[in-house]
């Protein structure tokens, strides 16, 4: 009896399962027919909405930006690529610089007529009470000049060996020691008091030269002693980012016979020398001899904004 009862129960479960499946299929079929009946009205509704104006401003702005800027970006890239290729070409690395000195001298002679001073056309003028405008018109970038009434007004004019030893004798200072050729120099960082002990020494073949661009700017008292100069107000280095801007008060101090080779300073800057103590001699070469100058290929300045080092 038990096996027969189990078989009957199994048959009843299968019948019930089949009935449920059939009902589910019929319900799904009814739902599908109902959807088909409703679908035309949905289509008509969508069709009506299709004609309603709707502007996607976010997409429009993106489209305008793309249309306007893609040509500009393409032009900029083409322009930068051309400049890069020109820079990388060997013939562009060392271009010969030619200065039209005749035009510069002619302009200087015209500007000289504005003022009553008796200018020299063969020697170096020594001037005092020179206006900035006259300096710009007659001397700046055109002719050397010695200005005699600036440095005596500075606190640095009264610096002495005793003063520097007392307050900065233990501080290290950078210098170069030359033995033989100028290009055979050793860079050193030694206490200032040690340099003082040998500052009087120096021969034509062996000498030492302090060349420190941080010693004065990083010591506020010394920097204040280097006063302002009316003729240096135009300083394009102030346009540089502070991180790469060159320091503007380098300390130069040489033993007897110290010297430098003919060179152009980094970034082609114009250096103004203020002689506080001692003497400094200059070798002046008349203009019009640019074709006799040359540079050594591959020499770099080592500055944050890399540039070539133009030494003879």
């Amino acid at each position: 009896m038990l096996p027969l009862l189990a078989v009957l129960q199994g048959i009843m479960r299968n019948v019930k399962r089949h009935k449920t499946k059939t009902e589910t299929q019929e319900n799904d079929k009814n739902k599908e027919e109902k959807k088909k009946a409703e679908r035309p009205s949905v289509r008509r509704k969508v069709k009506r909405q299709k004609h309603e104006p709707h502007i996607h401003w976010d997409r429009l702005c993106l489209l305008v930006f793309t249309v306007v800027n893609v040509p500009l970006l393409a032009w900029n890239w083409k322009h930068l690529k051309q400049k890069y290729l020109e820079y990388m070409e060997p013939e562009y690395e060392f271009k010969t610089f030619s200065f039209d000195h005749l035009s510069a001298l002619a302009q200087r002679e015209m500007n000289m007529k504005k003022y009553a001073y008796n200018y020299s056309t063969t020697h170096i003028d020594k001037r005092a009470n020179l206006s900035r405008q006259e300096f710009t018109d007659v001397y700046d970038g055109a002719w050397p000049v010695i200005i005699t009434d600036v440095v005596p007004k500075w606190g640095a004019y009264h610096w002495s060996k005793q003063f520097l030893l007392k307050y900065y004798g233990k501080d290290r200072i950078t210098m170069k020691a030359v033995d033989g050729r100028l290009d055979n120099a050793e860079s050193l960082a030694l206490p200032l008091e040690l340099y003082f002990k040998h500052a009087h020494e120096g021969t034509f073949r062996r000498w030492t030269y302090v060349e420190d661009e941080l010693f004065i700017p990083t010591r506020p008292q010394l920097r204040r002693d280097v006063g302002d100069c009316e003729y240096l107000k135009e300083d394009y280095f102030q346009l540089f980012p502070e991180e790469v801007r060159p320091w503007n008060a380098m300390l130069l101090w040489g033993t007897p016979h110290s010297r430098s080779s003919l060179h152009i300073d980094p970034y082609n800057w114009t250096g103004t020398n203020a002689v506080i103590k001692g003497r400094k001699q200059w070798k002046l070469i008349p203009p019009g001899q640019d074709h006799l100058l040359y540079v050594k290929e591959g020499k770099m300045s080592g500055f944050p904004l890399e540039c070539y080092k133009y030494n003879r």
Side-chain angles (χ1 to χ4, degrees):
M1 291 295 292
L2 289 176
L4 180 60
L5 180 61
V7 171
L8 291 175
Q9 288 177 348
I11 293 173
M12 292 299 295
R13 282 197 298 269
N14 289 336
V15 171
K16 187 176 181 180
R17 189 181 298 117
H18 178 72
K19 183 178 179 180
T20 303
K21 183 177 180 181
T22 304
E23 291 177 353
T24 303
Q25 290 177 348
E26 290 179 356
N27 291 335
D28 292 342
K29 185 176 180 180
N30 293 334
K31 289 180 180 179
E32 185 66 25
E33 291 177 354
K34 186 176 180 180
K35 286 183 179 179
K36 288 182 179 180
E38 295 176 352
R39 195 167 295 168
S41 62
V42 173
R43 286 178 181 174
R44 286 193 297 273
K45 185 177 181 181
V46 172
K47 189 173 182 180
R48 286 195 299 271
Q49 290 180 352
K50 186 176 181 180
H51 295 283
E52 295 178 2
H54 181 72
I55 299 176
H56 296 276
W57 289 107
D58 54 342
R59 300 177 188 175
L60 178 64
C61 293
L62 178 61
L63 176 63
V64 171
F65 175 81
T66 305
V67 171
V68 172
N69 284 277
V70 164
L72 294 178
L73 291 173
W75 181 87
N76 285 336
W77 169 247
K78 183 178 179 181
H79 179 70
L80 291 174
K81 183 179 180 181
Q82 180 65 27
K83 289 297 182 182
Y84 175 77
L85 292 176
E86 289 180 1
Y87 176 78
M88 293 303 294
E89 288 293 330
E91 61 266 26
Y92 287 96
E93 289 188 3
F94 298 98
K95 291 184 178 180
T96 301
F97 174 74
S98 180
F99 176 66
D100 190 354
H101 65 284
L102 295 178
S103 297
L105 292 179
Q107 183 62 49
R108 177 176 186 263
E109 291 179 0
M110 291 182 60
N111 291 339
M112 286 162 54
K113 298 176 182 178
K114 301 178 183 178
Y115 307 96
Y117 187 81
N118 185 22
Y119 300 100
S120 174
T121 56
T122 57
H123 294 79
I124 309 303
D125 295 327
K126 290 186 177 182
R127 299 295 307 273
N129 299 318
L130 179 65
S131 70
R132 182 179 175 184
Q133 186 60 51
E134 184 179 357
F135 170 78
T136 302
D137 289 341
V138 180
Y139 297 108
D140 190 18
W143 199 264
V145 61
I146 298 174
I147 302 175
T148 61
D149 60 346
V150 173
V151 176
K153 299 176 183 178
W154 291 356
Y157 187 68
H158 304 287
W159 287 351
S160 64
K161 180 179 179 179
Q162 292 73 21
F163 165 76
L164 294 175
L165 276 177
K166 179 179 179 180
Y167 294 101
Y168 308 102
K170 302 296 183 181
D171 295 355
R172 289 183 176 270
I173 195 167
T174 59
M175 63 191 75
K176 62 181 181 182
V178 177
D179 186 0
R181 293 172 53 89
L182 285 174
D183 54 5
N184 185 25
E186 181 182 3
S187 297
L188 304 171
L190 302 174
L192 182 60
E193 61 183 6
L194 182 59
Y195 174 76
F196 272 132
K197 291 181 180 180
H198 304 278
H200 63 284
E201 302 173 359
T203 65
F204 183 78
R205 292 187 56 82
R206 301 185 67 182
W207 45 270
T208 309
Y209 190 55
V210 170
E211 196 173 32
D212 197 316
E213 63 178 351
L214 297 177
F215 192 81
I216 294 177
T218 56
R219 291 162 176 80
Q221 177 59 47
L222 296 181
R223 186 62 186 89
R224 283 193 296 269
D225 286 346
V226 179
D228 293 330
C229 180
E230 178 66 22
Y231 314 108
L232 304 180
K233 294 295 185 182
E234 188 180 60
D235 184 4
Y236 292 117
F237 282 133
Q238 296 304 314
L239 302 177
F240 277 40
E242 187 175 357
E243 295 79 7
V244 297
R245 186 184 306 155
W247 300 96
N248 62 354
M250 179 182 289
L251 177 62
L252 304 176
W253 192 342
T255 64
H257 299 284
S258 59
R259 57 196 180 273
S260 67
S261 61
L262 180 64
H263 65 276
I264 299 175
D265 287 323
Y267 308 139
N268 292 343
W269 71 43
T270 300
T272 301
N273 282 248
V275 181
I276 298 174
K277 299 289 183 182
R279 298 172 57 201
K280 182 164 186 174
Q281 292 180 318
W282 291 82
K283 181 181 289 186
L284 302 177
I285 301 175
Q289 303 184 57
D290 302 31
H291 62 285
L292 300 177
L293 301 177
Y294 62 93
V295 296
K296 297 179 181 178
E297 296 188 10
K299 289 284 187 178
M300 308 304 290
S301 68
F303 276 60
L305 292 180
E306 193 60 279
C307 61
Y308 287 103
K309 186 175 183 179
Y310 296 104
N311 281 23
R312 184 181 62 81

